[in-house]
Amino acid sequence: MDRILSADSTPIAYRRQGEGPPLVLVGGALSTAATDAPLAALLAPRFTVVTYDRRGRGASGGGADGVRREIEDLAAVVGAAGTGASVFGMSSGGALALEAAAAGLPVGLLAVYEPPYTPGASGLRFKAHCTDRLHRLLAAGDRAGAVELFLTATGVDPATVARMRRAPLWPGLEALAHTLAYDDALLGDGAIPAERFAAVTARTLVVCGGFSSARARASTRTLAESLPRARHRTLTGQMREVAPQVLAPVLADFFARDVYVRQAS
């Protein structure tokens, strides 16, 4: 992997593949560039796809955490990707992409899949409870408990979590547990920051799964309505863990159309 220094000198590792207009993929919680590899491989025939290890993960440095630092990291990666790079963010990576765009990061086009906002009174209470418990677990050094909290809060049933704890992948998840605080911070109190997102000027595609929870589907529609140049798309039969082979054609069509429009103009 190549590396680039973020604004605070934290090294951020990234990988570039494919040929065509630049496209940066931003992973969600407990993910690395390797997590995005299947989607990147499907997009690489049409785009120069850049995946990266977010701060504190994989081959990237730790450094100080915080939303501003993550925005700076993404800005560095977008700069390395090339002029006019578009961005796709998965889950909380979508929240990061939106925050960066709202802060003025120039992106050619933006797409997000189910940023996990929890608007509404009950959703805000749920987010506050999860945030408090997450920080308590991390402060106590209970990395396994933090991962379990994240999984159950996102809808994974306890029996599945129990099986995951016995699986070879579990130590890798525990190794990333501290970064759950970064993703939690990206979501604020859980409400969609409509006033801040009014500054997002890029054309944006907001995507959700047709089999995702009612709350997730409603949240993505509300998010799309809060963005000045957004449209919403539901992928039939998909859930929070979307199949790359279903998502890739949708993204490719959206980003390719934008490239055509910009070249024509």
Side-chain angles (χ1 to χ4, degrees):
M1 298 182 77
D2 294 319
R3 286 177 175 78
I4 191 168
L5 295 182
S6 190
D8 68 343
S9 297
T10 297
I12 303 299
Y14 69 95
R15 178 176 288 112
R16 188 195 311 262
Q17 62 179 299
E19 294 184 5
L23 171 60
V24 176
L25 306 187
V26 187
L30 299 180
S31 69
T32 65
T35 311
D36 294 327
L39 179 60
L42 292 169
L43 292 168
R46 299 179 66 179
F47 304 92
T48 298
V49 184
V50 177
T51 55
Y52 75 105
D53 290 336
R54 284 173 52 192
R55 174 173 297 244
R57 313 176 192 210
S60 289
D65 64 296
V67 174
R68 181 170 67 89
R69 293 303 187 195
E70 287 244 60
I71 290 174
E72 291 171 349
D73 299 345
L74 178 54
V77 174
V78 167
T83 303
S86 293
V87 175
F88 167 70
M90 173 66 74
S91 190
S92 54
L96 172 54
L98 288 164
E99 290 288 354
L105 178 66
V107 296
L109 196 67
L110 178 62
V112 297
Y113 189 88
E114 293 193 14
Y117 295 105
T118 54
S122 62
L124 298 187
R125 287 194 298 270
F126 176 73
K127 174 62 166 60
H129 169 75
C130 289
T131 297
D132 178 69
R133 190 174 171 203
L134 173 65
H135 284 283
R136 288 176 181 271
L137 289 167
L138 292 176
D142 188 355
R143 302 175 74 86
V147 173
E148 183 170 346
L149 170 65
F150 165 75
L151 293 172
T152 55
T154 53
V156 181
D157 66 271
T160 299
V161 174
R163 288 194 296 272
M164 291 177 68
R165 292 188 69 143
R166 299 189 296 271
L169 61 79
W170 189 260
L173 297 179
E174 282 196 27
L176 298 173
H178 63 288
T179 64
L180 289 170
Y182 305 0
D183 293 275
D184 182 75
L186 283 167
L187 299 170
D189 64 359
I192 295 170
E195 184 175 347
R196 188 158 66 249
F197 285 176
V200 177
T201 59
R203 289 201 299 121
T204 306
L205 177 66
V206 181
V207 189
C208 73
F211 281 177
S212 293
S213 69
R215 170 176 285 176
R217 286 183 279 115
S219 176
T220 56
R221 290 191 178 279
T222 301
L223 173 61
E225 291 167 359
S226 74
L227 296 165
R229 304 177 66 198
R231 63 185 178 92
H232 184 272
R233 174 79 182 267
T234 300
L235 300 185
T236 303
Q238 296 302 300
M239 302 176 67
R240 178 178 172 274
E241 298 295 333
V242 61
Q245 64 269 25
V246 174
L247 179 61
V250 174
L251 295 180
D253 180 66
F254 180 60
F255 291 126
R257 284 176 182 272
D258 177 68
V259 170
Y260 174 79
V261 169
R262 282 188 287 160
Q263 289 177 341
S265 61

